[in-house]
Amino acid sequence: MRRLSTFVAPYAIFMVILVILPLVIMAQYAVFDKEGQFTLHFLLSFTNEEILNTFIYSIGVAMETTILCILLGYPIAYILSRKEMGFPAHLITFFILPMGVNMLLNTFALVAVLDVLHIPLGTTALVIGMVYNFLPFMVQPLYNSLCKIDSNLIEAAYDLGASKITAFFKIVVPVSIPGIVSGVMMVFMPTISTFAISELLTMNKVKLFGSVVQASIGSDMLNYGAALSIVMLLVVVITQVLLKDR
Amino acid sequence: MGRSQDYIIQVRGLSKRFGSRSVLHDVEFGIRRGEFVTILGPSGSGKSTLLRIIGGLEKPTEGSIIFDGKDITSMPAEKRPINTVFQHYALFPHLNVYENIAFGLVMKGVDKQQQAERIAEVLQIVGMQGYENYDVRKLSGGQQQRVAIARAIVNKPEVLLLDESLSALDHKLRKQMQRELKAMHRQLGITFIFVTHDQEEAISMSDNIVVLQEGKVQQIASPSEIYNHPSNLFMANFIGENNIIKIQVLDGQKIFLLGQSVEADTNRFMAGDTAYAVIRPEDVLISDATSEEFPWKGVVCSSDFRGVYYETFVQTKTGEILQIRQDKEYETGTSVGIGVARNDLYLVGAEA
Ligand SMILES: Nc1ncnc2c1ncn2[C@@H]1O[C@H](COP(=O)(O)OP(=O)(O)O)[C@@H](O)[C@H]1O
Ligand SMILES: [Mg+2]
């Protein structure tokens, strides 16, 4: 046991300095004003109608992005995971590759593509950009989890009288739920806090919750930004807890 | 082949290629209603592929599957009155024991009440009452096996396919499951097609055995027929421990065996043919003296006690070594006379 704890030590230090300490500092900013007075003012400002609307709108965009990523990503991941369909195995790399490129670069590239396609920047462009950036994060866990499904399982369903469609919805989808859950975590949670994508693709017209946080920190309203970040963190934690036992 | 209506399943001229690789080659046989048939063959011989084609999970390249007189070659798996117990059970991990077994019934639209009755019935047959709500992933191999059988038989298939169903179980459990499977077969009265690479299992369980090797049927016969009358050289090597000696067929019911001309049943051969004499170790006679009954002479190489008999190896003058099982011990180095009764000399050709 002693040995094991030696190995754990660097991680513990890492956790304290890079995770716990920033959280404490952030919490401190959120509940104390510039004079060092304790106040709930900043946290409560969340109920401000404009902020609340932005928040709800951001959750909406995140949900839309997540659902579109599932709808687009699932068929790709499924087809590529079934070896018997005969697609080359490395084809999956093309769908996952964009993950390795910085999101800002992806988005700049997309702006150019949208221009060529005559799609105006705005809310539609925003959703396209979100899906474009986050799709690989959905495809990867879905693909991994679908690959683990033994094709005998699907054949057993046929053998017991299931059609292809029934076998897909009664066996493949339920068995791949862990993959769907990790995909949702990988997409939904980060989309809540994005700001650069929305700024670039809507020419700053649409404000997401992440943009508000970024803006307030950028304009010396640290306490305010910290309070909003705490709220965002709560959403992420709640999502995580809700999804965890699936 | 007999009249076609005798058979519940007929496999006709079946070939299967994966790309350029030929896995089944002109396979042809029939299975009678209610039989326990085993497809026996070494690993990679095409047993699973054959079973999958019968079950509808694979399409043959050539040939057809006839079920009860009707061609079902292009009928999809879900429509066939055939169910499979998969090699690694393939239980649905997100469903419990009850839901796994209910799957086929739900697909058929059987009402809940009837589902419950039939599931209770099959749980009883496989000895898994009380396990309805268990997580299938937490069951032992033997229990998963039973659930897989229950999930298949609850649909009252006319034919049950079992792919190496017992191979993953340990020896003791395996013997027990063999007996139970036989009992289930009698109780259900349906046709079982069982796949195994284990000869002993095939011989002890089956009414008929189809021996497959490299995608070709080597012999289709009852266990005793296969044991006593192997159809060709492969079968003689494959089944049991036999002395196999190359011979020449002579005129007038005679063969040239180990340097001597002796009488044998040569009806299936022509004078001048090369063939193989198959002699079981227990059928080789051995004597201290030489006489007319013991036309060959040899020297004892070894003689070891094996519990109920002595296993003796004798080298003949022609250099062949014969394996002999008799209840007497012979001293190494002694000269002996060797004989085989005419009826114990069985001839096979190189091909079927
Ligand atoms: N889907 C497939 N694609 C290519 N080759 C296959 C496929 N299925 C089986 N084979 C090949 O066919 C041969 C027979 O396989 P199989 O029927 O599983 O044999 P057995 O069950 O007797 O071990 C093997 O060499 C195997 O590699
Ligand atoms: Mg097999």
Side-chain angles (χ1 to χ4, degrees), chain A residues 84, chain B residues 16 18-19 21-24 41-50 52 58 87 163-164 195 212:
Chain A
E84 57 273 18
Chain B
K16 177 71 185 176
F18 290 108
R21 194 191 153 88
S22 177
V23 170
L24 292 174
S43 168
S45 55
K47 307 180 296 293
S48 294
T49 304
L50 177 54
R52 289 165 56 79
E58 200 86 68
Q87 189 159 1
D163 192 355
E164 304 253 7
V195 159
L212 208 59

PDB file of all heavy atoms in Angstrom, chain A residues 84, chain B residues 16 18-19 21-24 41-50 52 58 87 163-164 195 212, ligand 1:
ATOM      1  N   GLU A  84     -18.445  -7.103 -41.348  1.00  0.00           N
ATOM      2  CA  GLU A  84     -19.054  -7.879 -42.428  1.00  0.00           C
ATOM      3  C   GLU A  84     -19.601  -6.978 -43.544  1.00  0.00           C
ATOM      4  O   GLU A  84     -19.882  -7.440 -44.631  1.00  0.00           O
ATOM      5  CB  GLU A  84     -20.134  -8.835 -41.890  1.00  0.00           C
ATOM      6  CG  GLU A  84     -21.271  -8.207 -41.113  1.00  0.00           C
ATOM      7  CD  GLU A  84     -20.969  -8.031 -39.629  1.00  0.00           C
ATOM      8  OE1 GLU A  84     -19.782  -8.076 -39.247  1.00  0.00           O
ATOM      9  OE2 GLU A  84     -21.915  -7.848 -38.850  1.00  0.00           O
TER      10      GLU A  84
ATOM     11  N   LYS B  16     -19.599 -23.398 -50.579  1.00  0.00           N
ATOM     12  CA  LYS B  16     -19.465 -22.038 -50.060  1.00  0.00           C
ATOM     13  C   LYS B  16     -18.043 -21.565 -50.268  1.00  0.00           C
ATOM     14  O   LYS B  16     -17.087 -22.259 -49.918  1.00  0.00           O
ATOM     15  CB  LYS B  16     -19.805 -21.996 -48.564  1.00  0.00           C
ATOM     16  CG  LYS B  16     -19.613 -20.637 -47.931  1.00  0.00           C
ATOM     17  CD  LYS B  16     -20.662 -19.643 -48.397  1.00  0.00           C
ATOM     18  CE  LYS B  16     -20.392 -18.250 -47.854  1.00  0.00           C
ATOM     19  NZ  LYS B  16     -21.354 -17.260 -48.387  1.00  0.00           N
ATOM     20  N   PHE B  18     -15.564 -18.098 -49.680  1.00  0.00           N
ATOM     21  CA  PHE B  18     -15.360 -16.726 -49.209  1.00  0.00           C
ATOM     22  C   PHE B  18     -14.271 -16.163 -50.094  1.00  0.00           C
ATOM     23  O   PHE B  18     -13.114 -16.535 -49.948  1.00  0.00           O
ATOM     24  CB  PHE B  18     -14.925 -16.699 -47.751  1.00  0.00           C
ATOM     25  CG  PHE B  18     -16.003 -17.107 -46.781  1.00  0.00           C
ATOM     26  CD1 PHE B  18     -15.943 -18.326 -46.119  1.00  0.00           C
ATOM     27  CD2 PHE B  18     -17.076 -16.266 -46.526  1.00  0.00           C
ATOM     28  CE1 PHE B  18     -16.935 -18.698 -45.221  1.00  0.00           C
ATOM     29  CE2 PHE B  18     -18.065 -16.629 -45.634  1.00  0.00           C
ATOM     30  CZ  PHE B  18     -18.002 -17.843 -44.987  1.00  0.00           C
ATOM     31  N   GLY B  19     -14.641 -15.312 -51.018  1.00  0.00           N
ATOM     32  CA  GLY B  19     -13.666 -14.835 -51.991  1.00  0.00           C
ATOM     33  C   GLY B  19     -13.196 -16.021 -52.816  1.00  0.00           C
ATOM     34  O   GLY B  19     -14.001 -16.734 -53.389  1.00  0.00           O
ATOM     35  N   ARG B  21     -11.547 -18.477 -51.445  1.00  0.00           N
ATOM     36  CA  ARG B  21     -11.329 -19.562 -50.520  1.00  0.00           C
ATOM     37  C   ARG B  21     -12.554 -20.472 -50.447  1.00  0.00           C
ATOM     38  O   ARG B  21     -13.639 -20.043 -50.074  1.00  0.00           O
ATOM     39  CB  ARG B  21     -11.061 -18.955 -49.144  1.00  0.00           C
ATOM     40  CG  ARG B  21     -10.509 -19.917 -48.177  1.00  0.00           C
ATOM     41  CD  ARG B  21     -10.540 -19.309 -46.772  1.00  0.00           C
ATOM     42  NE  ARG B  21     -10.617 -20.401 -45.851  1.00  0.00           N
ATOM     43  CZ  ARG B  21      -9.553 -21.013 -45.382  1.00  0.00           C
ATOM     44  NH1 ARG B  21      -8.369 -20.576 -45.698  1.00  0.00           N
ATOM     45  NH2 ARG B  21      -9.681 -22.047 -44.581  1.00  0.00           N
ATOM     46  N   SER B  22     -12.374 -21.743 -50.823  1.00  0.00           N
ATOM     47  CA  SER B  22     -13.485 -22.686 -50.809  1.00  0.00           C
ATOM     48  C   SER B  22     -13.587 -23.334 -49.431  1.00  0.00           C
ATOM     49  O   SER B  22     -12.647 -23.962 -48.968  1.00  0.00           O
ATOM     50  CB  SER B  22     -13.247 -23.736 -51.888  1.00  0.00           C
ATOM     51  OG  SER B  22     -14.278 -24.687 -51.824  1.00  0.00           O
ATOM     52  N   VAL B  23     -14.713 -23.135 -48.778  1.00  0.00           N
ATOM     53  CA  VAL B  23     -14.873 -23.614 -47.405  1.00  0.00           C
ATOM     54  C   VAL B  23     -15.762 -24.859 -47.333  1.00  0.00           C
ATOM     55  O   VAL B  23     -15.550 -25.740 -46.510  1.00  0.00           O
ATOM     56  CB  VAL B  23     -15.437 -22.482 -46.514  1.00  0.00           C
ATOM     57  CG1 VAL B  23     -15.837 -22.987 -45.152  1.00  0.00           C
ATOM     58  CG2 VAL B  23     -14.412 -21.360 -46.382  1.00  0.00           C
ATOM     59  N   LEU B  24     -16.764 -24.922 -48.215  1.00  0.00           N
ATOM     60  CA  LEU B  24     -17.589 -26.135 -48.301  1.00  0.00           C
ATOM     61  C   LEU B  24     -17.604 -26.563 -49.753  1.00  0.00           C
ATOM     62  O   LEU B  24     -17.699 -25.725 -50.661  1.00  0.00           O
ATOM     63  CB  LEU B  24     -19.019 -25.862 -47.830  1.00  0.00           C
ATOM     64  CG  LEU B  24     -19.204 -25.567 -46.345  1.00  0.00           C
ATOM     65  CD1 LEU B  24     -20.647 -25.175 -46.082  1.00  0.00           C
ATOM     66  CD2 LEU B  24     -18.816 -26.771 -45.492  1.00  0.00           C
ATOM     67  N   GLY B  41     -15.937 -32.724 -37.167  1.00  0.00           N
ATOM     68  CA  GLY B  41     -14.794 -32.418 -38.021  1.00  0.00           C
ATOM     69  C   GLY B  41     -13.799 -31.580 -37.256  1.00  0.00           C
ATOM     70  O   GLY B  41     -14.158 -30.941 -36.268  1.00  0.00           O
ATOM     71  N   PRO B  42     -12.548 -31.581 -37.712  1.00  0.00           N
ATOM     72  CA  PRO B  42     -11.549 -30.779 -37.019  1.00  0.00           C
ATOM     73  C   PRO B  42     -11.850 -29.288 -37.182  1.00  0.00           C
ATOM     74  O   PRO B  42     -12.652 -28.893 -38.029  1.00  0.00           O
ATOM     75  CB  PRO B  42     -10.239 -31.152 -37.718  1.00  0.00           C
ATOM     76  CG  PRO B  42     -10.624 -31.777 -39.008  1.00  0.00           C
ATOM     77  CD  PRO B  42     -11.993 -32.334 -38.840  1.00  0.00           C
ATOM     78  N   SER B  43     -11.207 -28.475 -36.362  1.00  0.00           N
ATOM     79  CA  SER B  43     -11.415 -27.042 -36.405  1.00  0.00           C
ATOM     80  C   SER B  43     -11.053 -26.496 -37.793  1.00  0.00           C
ATOM     81  O   SER B  43     -10.059 -26.891 -38.382  1.00  0.00           O
ATOM     82  CB  SER B  43     -10.546 -26.408 -35.329  1.00  0.00           C
ATOM     83  OG  SER B  43     -10.510 -25.033 -35.500  1.00  0.00           O
ATOM     84  N   GLY B  44     -11.902 -25.643 -38.337  1.00  0.00           N
ATOM     85  CA  GLY B  44     -11.646 -25.059 -39.650  1.00  0.00           C
ATOM     86  C   GLY B  44     -12.179 -25.899 -40.800  1.00  0.00           C
ATOM     87  O   GLY B  44     -11.998 -25.557 -41.960  1.00  0.00           O
ATOM     88  N   SER B  45     -12.877 -26.992 -40.483  1.00  0.00           N
ATOM     89  CA  SER B  45     -13.356 -27.872 -41.554  1.00  0.00           C
ATOM     90  C   SER B  45     -14.650 -27.365 -42.191  1.00  0.00           C
ATOM     91  O   SER B  45     -15.124 -27.939 -43.163  1.00  0.00           O
ATOM     92  CB  SER B  45     -13.555 -29.293 -41.020  1.00  0.00           C
ATOM     93  OG  SER B  45     -14.419 -29.278 -39.910  1.00  0.00           O
ATOM     94  N   GLY B  46     -15.231 -26.300 -41.631  1.00  0.00           N
ATOM     95  CA  GLY B  46     -16.427 -25.720 -42.246  1.00  0.00           C
ATOM     96  C   GLY B  46     -17.727 -26.047 -41.515  1.00  0.00           C
ATOM     97  O   GLY B  46     -18.809 -25.782 -42.032  1.00  0.00           O
ATOM     98  N   LYS B  47     -17.623 -26.598 -40.303  1.00  0.00           N
ATOM     99  CA  LYS B  47     -18.824 -26.992 -39.552  1.00  0.00           C
ATOM    100  C   LYS B  47     -19.726 -25.800 -39.260  1.00  0.00           C
ATOM    101  O   LYS B  47     -20.932 -25.846 -39.516  1.00  0.00           O
ATOM    102  CB  LYS B  47     -18.426 -27.652 -38.216  1.00  0.00           C
ATOM    103  CG  LYS B  47     -17.460 -28.800 -38.345  1.00  0.00           C
ATOM    104  CD  LYS B  47     -17.128 -29.401 -36.983  1.00  0.00           C
ATOM    105  CE  LYS B  47     -16.400 -28.454 -36.034  1.00  0.00           C
ATOM    106  NZ  LYS B  47     -15.044 -28.105 -36.447  1.00  0.00           N
ATOM    107  N   SER B  48     -19.135 -24.737 -38.717  1.00  0.00           N
ATOM    108  CA  SER B  48     -19.948 -23.564 -38.366  1.00  0.00           C
ATOM    109  C   SER B  48     -20.574 -22.954 -39.601  1.00  0.00           C
ATOM    110  O   SER B  48     -21.742 -22.556 -39.582  1.00  0.00           O
ATOM    111  CB  SER B  48     -19.108 -22.509 -37.651  1.00  0.00           C
ATOM    112  OG  SER B  48     -18.688 -22.984 -36.409  1.00  0.00           O
ATOM    113  N   THR B  49     -19.806 -22.888 -40.680  1.00  0.00           N
ATOM    114  CA  THR B  49     -20.327 -22.318 -41.921  1.00  0.00           C
ATOM    115  C   THR B  49     -21.533 -23.129 -42.394  1.00  0.00           C
ATOM    116  O   THR B  49     -22.566 -22.562 -42.767  1.00  0.00           O
ATOM    117  CB  THR B  49     -19.229 -22.304 -43.002  1.00  0.00           C
ATOM    118  OG1 THR B  49     -18.106 -21.593 -42.477  1.00  0.00           O
ATOM    119  CG2 THR B  49     -19.695 -21.628 -44.269  1.00  0.00           C
ATOM    120  N   LEU B  50     -21.425 -24.445 -42.350  1.00  0.00           N
ATOM    121  CA  LEU B  50     -22.527 -25.317 -42.755  1.00  0.00           C
ATOM    122  C   LEU B  50     -23.758 -25.064 -41.883  1.00  0.00           C
ATOM    123  O   LEU B  50     -24.880 -24.930 -42.379  1.00  0.00           O
ATOM    124  CB  LEU B  50     -22.072 -26.778 -42.663  1.00  0.00           C
ATOM    125  CG  LEU B  50     -23.097 -27.866 -42.985  1.00  0.00           C
ATOM    126  CD1 LEU B  50     -23.720 -27.651 -44.356  1.00  0.00           C
ATOM    127  CD2 LEU B  50     -22.442 -29.247 -42.925  1.00  0.00           C
ATOM    128  N   ARG B  52     -24.446 -22.374 -40.172  1.00  0.00           N
ATOM    129  CA  ARG B  52     -24.963 -21.030 -40.418  1.00  0.00           C
ATOM    130  C   ARG B  52     -25.785 -20.989 -41.706  1.00  0.00           C
ATOM    131  O   ARG B  52     -26.772 -20.250 -41.791  1.00  0.00           O
ATOM    132  CB  ARG B  52     -23.810 -20.026 -40.495  1.00  0.00           C
ATOM    133  CG  ARG B  52     -23.151 -19.777 -39.132  1.00  0.00           C
ATOM    134  CD  ARG B  52     -21.810 -19.073 -39.286  1.00  0.00           C
ATOM    135  NE  ARG B  52     -21.940 -17.828 -40.016  1.00  0.00           N
ATOM    136  CZ  ARG B  52     -22.375 -16.695 -39.490  1.00  0.00           C
ATOM    137  NH1 ARG B  52     -22.674 -16.654 -38.213  1.00  0.00           N
ATOM    138  NH2 ARG B  52     -22.490 -15.615 -40.225  1.00  0.00           N
ATOM    139  N   GLU B  58     -26.030 -17.413 -43.329  1.00  0.00           N
ATOM    140  CA  GLU B  58     -25.035 -17.311 -44.400  1.00  0.00           C
ATOM    141  C   GLU B  58     -25.690 -17.839 -45.667  1.00  0.00           C
ATOM    142  O   GLU B  58     -26.521 -18.748 -45.601  1.00  0.00           O
ATOM    143  CB  GLU B  58     -23.832 -18.186 -44.015  1.00  0.00           C
ATOM    144  CG  GLU B  58     -22.543 -17.872 -44.702  1.00  0.00           C
ATOM    145  CD  GLU B  58     -21.770 -16.776 -44.003  1.00  0.00           C
ATOM    146  OE1 GLU B  58     -21.281 -16.999 -42.875  1.00  0.00           O
ATOM    147  OE2 GLU B  58     -21.667 -15.696 -44.592  1.00  0.00           O
ATOM    148  N   GLN B  87     -22.161 -20.706 -30.373  1.00  0.00           N
ATOM    149  CA  GLN B  87     -20.945 -21.243 -29.764  1.00  0.00           C
ATOM    150  C   GLN B  87     -20.595 -20.536 -28.442  1.00  0.00           C
ATOM    151  O   GLN B  87     -20.282 -21.167 -27.470  1.00  0.00           O
ATOM    152  CB  GLN B  87     -19.800 -21.116 -30.767  1.00  0.00           C
ATOM    153  CG  GLN B  87     -18.545 -21.826 -30.332  1.00  0.00           C
ATOM    154  CD  GLN B  87     -17.628 -22.118 -31.514  1.00  0.00           C
ATOM    155  OE1 GLN B  87     -17.926 -21.780 -32.649  1.00  0.00           O
ATOM    156  NE2 GLN B  87     -16.516 -22.748 -31.244  1.00  0.00           N
ATOM    157  N   ASP B 163     -23.943 -25.191 -31.959  1.00  0.00           N
ATOM    158  CA  ASP B 163     -22.578 -25.066 -32.468  1.00  0.00           C
ATOM    159  C   ASP B 163     -21.550 -25.206 -31.343  1.00  0.00           C
ATOM    160  O   ASP B 163     -21.406 -24.296 -30.536  1.00  0.00           O
ATOM    161  CB  ASP B 163     -22.393 -23.729 -33.177  1.00  0.00           C
ATOM    162  CG  ASP B 163     -21.089 -23.683 -33.966  1.00  0.00           C
ATOM    163  OD1 ASP B 163     -20.306 -24.649 -33.875  1.00  0.00           O
ATOM    164  OD2 ASP B 163     -20.857 -22.692 -34.669  1.00  0.00           O
ATOM    165  N   GLU B 164     -20.851 -26.301 -31.305  1.00  0.00           N
ATOM    166  CA  GLU B 164     -19.804 -26.561 -30.301  1.00  0.00           C
ATOM    167  C   GLU B 164     -20.296 -26.146 -28.913  1.00  0.00           C
ATOM    168  O   GLU B 164     -19.575 -25.525 -28.146  1.00  0.00           O
ATOM    169  CB  GLU B 164     -18.529 -25.762 -30.618  1.00  0.00           C
ATOM    170  CG  GLU B 164     -17.987 -26.013 -32.002  1.00  0.00           C
ATOM    171  CD  GLU B 164     -16.731 -26.854 -32.029  1.00  0.00           C
ATOM    172  OE1 GLU B 164     -16.314 -27.384 -30.979  1.00  0.00           O
ATOM    173  OE2 GLU B 164     -16.167 -27.002 -33.126  1.00  0.00           O
ATOM    174  N   VAL B 195     -22.916 -29.640 -33.517  1.00  0.00           N
ATOM    175  CA  VAL B 195     -21.592 -29.542 -34.124  1.00  0.00           C
ATOM    176  C   VAL B 195     -20.523 -29.752 -33.057  1.00  0.00           C
ATOM    177  O   VAL B 195     -20.614 -29.193 -31.972  1.00  0.00           O
ATOM    178  CB  VAL B 195     -21.401 -28.149 -34.784  1.00  0.00           C
ATOM    179  CG1 VAL B 195     -19.934 -27.831 -34.948  1.00  0.00           C
ATOM    180  CG2 VAL B 195     -22.102 -28.099 -36.123  1.00  0.00           C
ATOM    181  N   LEU B 212     -16.967 -34.114 -41.530  1.00  0.00           N
ATOM    182  CA  LEU B 212     -16.563 -33.087 -42.479  1.00  0.00           C
ATOM    183  C   LEU B 212     -15.065 -32.891 -42.343  1.00  0.00           C
ATOM    184  O   LEU B 212     -14.523 -32.873 -41.239  1.00  0.00           O
ATOM    185  CB  LEU B 212     -17.283 -31.797 -42.088  1.00  0.00           C
ATOM    186  CG  LEU B 212     -17.597 -30.772 -43.155  1.00  0.00           C
ATOM    187  CD1 LEU B 212     -18.467 -31.372 -44.234  1.00  0.00           C
ATOM    188  CD2 LEU B 212     -18.326 -29.591 -42.510  1.00  0.00           C
TER     189      LEU B 212
HETATM  190  N1  LIG C   1     -16.929 -14.807 -43.060  1.00  0.00           N
HETATM  191  C1  LIG C   1     -15.818 -15.476 -43.446  1.00  0.00           C
HETATM  192  N2  LIG C   1     -14.945 -14.921 -44.306  1.00  0.00           N
HETATM  193  C2  LIG C   1     -13.842 -15.581 -44.684  1.00  0.00           C
HETATM  194  N3  LIG C   1     -13.499 -16.816 -44.283  1.00  0.00           N
HETATM  195  C3  LIG C   1     -14.324 -17.431 -43.424  1.00  0.00           C
HETATM  196  C4  LIG C   1     -15.520 -16.795 -42.957  1.00  0.00           C
HETATM  197  N4  LIG C   1     -16.145 -17.642 -42.108  1.00  0.00           N
HETATM  198  C5  LIG C   1     -15.369 -18.748 -42.044  1.00  0.00           C
HETATM  199  N5  LIG C   1     -14.280 -18.626 -42.833  1.00  0.00           N
HETATM  200  C6  LIG C   1     -13.232 -19.628 -43.032  1.00  0.00           C
HETATM  201  O1  LIG C   1     -13.834 -20.843 -43.368  1.00  0.00           O
HETATM  202  C7  LIG C   1     -13.173 -21.934 -42.753  1.00  0.00           C
HETATM  203  C8  LIG C   1     -14.165 -22.786 -42.013  1.00  0.00           C
HETATM  204  O2  LIG C   1     -14.645 -22.064 -40.939  1.00  0.00           O
HETATM  205  P1  LIG C   1     -15.720 -22.623 -39.938  1.00  0.00           P
HETATM  206  O3  LIG C   1     -16.945 -22.973 -40.683  1.00  0.00           O
HETATM  207  O4  LIG C   1     -15.852 -21.641 -38.831  1.00  0.00           O
HETATM  208  O5  LIG C   1     -15.012 -23.960 -39.432  1.00  0.00           O
HETATM  209  P2  LIG C   1     -15.260 -24.806 -38.098  1.00  0.00           P
HETATM  210  O6  LIG C   1     -16.522 -24.350 -37.463  1.00  0.00           O
HETATM  211  O7  LIG C   1     -15.305 -26.219 -38.573  1.00  0.00           O
HETATM  212  O8  LIG C   1     -14.066 -24.569 -37.232  1.00  0.00           O
HETATM  213  C9  LIG C   1     -12.108 -21.354 -41.862  1.00  0.00           C
HETATM  214  O9  LIG C   1     -10.875 -21.497 -42.474  1.00  0.00           O
HETATM  215  C10 LIG C   1     -12.482 -19.901 -41.742  1.00  0.00           C
HETATM  216  O10 LIG C   1     -11.340 -19.102 -41.635  1.00  0.00           O
END
